[in-house]
Amino acid sequence: MTEKITLTDEEWKERLTPEQYYVLRSKGTERPYSNEFDEHFEPGAYSCAACGQELFESNTKFNSGCGWPAFYAAKAEDRVNLHEDNTHGMKRVEVTCTNCDSHLGHIFNDAPSTPTGQRYCINSVSLKFEAK
Ligand code: FE
């Protein structure tokens, strides 16, 4: 485990690209379909683009058709935190990184064909991929 990361807003701005900052630190959402990992199915691991903690593995990734990378489970329960999110007129559950509190995406219970029934809908820009 890496040590929990806490940076100021200014430090995050220096460390991240503008798009990463918008999604990870301002809870933004990237465009569907034209993002890096939506249709990406190589074997490997996906880590947090802000702090490097491994979050998801390729063997839980599936093609949900929603336009963003989808996983049916996190690498371990202690990698992500879930929070009620009632913004934008929707009732959703936000997913954040436990190590740096950055925004990753949302989780939905709408994937009955997967072992958990869950769909972690994650922004590509919040992830870094390492082939294994
Ligand atoms: Fe992180």
Side-chain angles (χ1 to χ4, degrees):
M1 276 293 283
T2 37
E3 221 171 285
K4 178 130 180 151
I5 292 186
T6 47
L7 297 177
T8 66
D9 216 36
E10 284 310 309
E11 288 169 325
W12 280 121
K13 272 186 188 160
E14 281 170 27
R15 181 180 282 217
L16 302 172
T17 68
E19 198 194 5
Q20 286 175 329
Y21 181 85
Y22 167 68
V23 174
L24 288 158
R25 305 307 307 177
S26 307
K27 303 187 188 300
T29 300
E30 70 191 3
R31 292 175 50 159
Y33 302 106
S34 56
N35 55 75
E36 190 174 5
F37 299 126
D38 179 24
E39 304 267 324
H40 178 270
F41 292 99
E42 278 176 52
Y46 295 84
S47 56
C48 174
C51 77
Q53 173 173 231
E54 275 194 18
L55 300 172
F56 300 99
E57 293 179 300
S58 56
N59 60 359
T60 65
K61 192 172 188 299
F62 66 104
N63 193 354
S64 73
C66 73
W68 290 277
F71 303 86
Y72 64 74
K75 181 183 167 86
E77 270 184 26
D78 65 0
R79 304 302 167 95
V80 294
N81 283 323
L82 306 182
H83 319 262
E84 201 175 303
D85 173 9
N86 297 322
T87 60
H88 303 290
M90 292 176 273
K91 271 187 176 291
R92 294 181 296 173
V93 177
E94 182 196 8
V95 182
T96 60
C97 172
T98 51
N99 195 45
C100 70
D101 296 327
S102 289
H103 174 80
L104 304 172
H106 291 86
I107 183 170
F108 303 91
N109 283 310
D110 64 359
S113 62
T114 72
T116 62
Q118 297 185 311
R119 172 172 63 97
Y120 286 83
C121 181
I122 305 298
N123 289 278
S124 286
V125 76
S126 297
L127 300 172
K128 283 219 168 97
F129 177 74
E130 192 184 333
K132 284 195 175 158

